[in-house]
Amino acid sequence: MVQVLDEDGTVDPWRRRTRRTRRQMPLWQELPLLLVVAFCLAVLIRTFLLQAFFIPSGSMEDTLLIGDRVLVNKVVYDVRDPVRGEVVVFRGTDRWVAQEVQEPEPGFAGKVGRTFGDLVGVSRPGEKDFIKRVIGVPGDRVKCCDDQGRVLVNGTALDEPYVIRNSPLDVPPNARECRSRRFEEVVVPPGQIFVMGDHRLVSQDARCQGPVPIDNVVGRAFMVVWPSQRWTSLPVPETFDGLSRPAAAPAAPPPAEPTPVGGVALVLPAVTLMSVVARSGRSARARGRRLHP
């Protein structure tokens, strides 16, 4: 037995008893505690910082495929507004109609798994959650098409290499259906964004369902994290670099996005605290459920 000596060389029995009580926690006690702590951290991160979303439809092909999981930064739009070219997850307005995706009824184990996944942010998003690309921001004039069939933003045509399957030009425009590539000029209202899917042939988006309030945006999808062979980032395409500033845009440049480290945004404690306060009232409505075309 190791004895603890005082400065005068005598044994201190109180310190000896204290040392004996500092035993390592048994594994059967430590493991459940670690699991609870990890679960609580996952819930906090999912609620205020990052969340994984499942892609069940082809409206963003070939950028995002059915079955992909994307990581969404839920903090970035608390410090700035969305910019053109970013892929965002948002809650649709009353005009946005979700396309039904047929699925078998899950059993008891499936329901338990979905409930757990919803808590930690890896389940399917809900009926009014969508994922699209930002084409226009407040004050932008968006229309289609020029003589080459391209979308114009403030008079500048977009070269969109991410659009593999476009809508046909010979179908007449319809304000209730997004079947046609052509649509009349839209001036994006203040506080809203104009979004479109990359698979224009099947995407139901702002062409026929209207712009989306920025307040409805859950966050920016910045990385594909599953399946592992499709691990990649989702940067802003270069075609958006040369666009002019919209009429409603402020003269000052927007605040810089938090610096990404290893693909995940690094958020300062002060920004995180402000985000928690700002989003606490609406965190329950932002639970991950199902994304739609």
Side-chain angles (χ1 to χ4, degrees):
M1 180 177 61
V2 178
Q3 295 181 338
V4 181
L5 303 180
D6 287 339
E7 295 179 358
D8 57 1
T10 61
V11 177
D12 186 341
W14 183 85
R15 294 182 64 186
R16 183 173 59 189
R17 288 196 302 270
T18 303
R19 187 179 184 87
R20 281 206 301 260
T21 60
R22 294 176 182 174
R23 295 178 180 176
Q24 185 175 4
M25 184 180 296
L27 180 62
W28 65 272
Q29 292 180 346
E30 185 177 8
L31 184 58
L33 179 61
L34 292 176
L35 291 176
V36 171
V37 171
F39 178 79
C40 293
L41 288 176
V43 172
L44 289 174
I45 292 173
R46 168 250 184 273
T47 303
F48 300 112
L49 301 179
L50 303 172
Q51 184 174 352
F53 280 86
F54 176 84
I55 307 298
S57 73
S59 68
M60 282 294 292
E61 291 178 345
D62 288 341
T63 303
L64 301 174
L65 304 180
I66 297 174
D68 284 353
R69 277 180 168 81
V70 296
L71 201 59
V72 175
N73 185 335
K74 302 175 72 173
V75 178
V76 59
Y77 297 140
D78 289 334
V79 297
R80 67 165 177 84
D81 288 338
V83 301
R84 307 182 193 100
E86 294 180 332
V87 178
V88 297
V89 173
F90 59 92
R91 294 182 299 276
T93 64
D94 293 339
R95 292 185 58 183
W96 284 70
V97 180
Q99 176 178 325
E100 296 296 331
V101 178
Q102 298 297 329
E103 290 182 347
E105 184 66 23
F108 175 77
K111 292 180 179 179
V112 172
R114 287 190 179 184
T115 301
F116 180 82
D118 181 66
L119 288 174
V120 300
V122 296
S123 67
R124 303 185 177 214
E127 295 179 355
K128 278 292 187 178
D129 292 335
F130 301 82
I131 184 165
K132 306 290 179 185
R133 189 181 299 277
V134 179
I135 303 298
V137 294
D140 278 341
R141 297 180 176 271
V142 185
K143 68 176 181 179
C144 192
C145 306
D146 66 355
D147 55 0
Q148 299 182 37
R150 297 176 297 181
V151 174
L152 295 102
V153 178
N154 300 331
T156 302
L158 297 179
D159 292 315
E160 302 180 284
Y162 48 83
V163 177
I164 307 301
R165 289 174 287 276
N166 213 331
S167 302
L169 281 168
D170 55 355
V171 175
N174 188 330
R176 298 183 180 181
E177 291 183 333
C178 296
R179 296 180 56 206
S180 174
R181 189 185 313 186
R182 294 184 286 120
F183 60 91
E184 297 297 326
E185 183 177 85
V186 176
V187 179
V188 184
Q192 301 191 35
I193 52 176
F194 190 93
V195 296
M196 298 173 70
D198 289 356
H199 190 346
R200 304 282 163 80
L201 192 60
V202 300
S203 177
Q204 300 297 303
D205 47 45
R207 290 174 290 172
C208 60
Q209 302 192 106
V212 177
I214 294 177
D215 289 343
N216 285 24
V217 177
V218 176
R220 177 189 177 186
F222 66 95
M223 178 174 291
V224 180
V225 294
W226 188 262
S228 57
Q229 63 268 24
R230 285 185 44 76
W231 183 292
T232 185
S233 61
L234 298 172
V236 174
E238 293 181 358
T239 187
F240 293 92
D241 293 344
L243 296 182
S244 61
R245 183 180 295 117
E257 187 173 345
T259 304
V261 177
V264 178
L266 178 64
V267 184
L268 295 177
V271 175
T272 303
L273 179 61
M274 290 188 293
S275 171
V276 170
V277 175
R279 302 186 75 93
S280 59
R282 47 179 175 159
S283 61
R285 298 194 302 271
R287 290 180 179 176
R289 296 179 296 270
R290 180 195 313 275
L291 292 175
H292 285 278

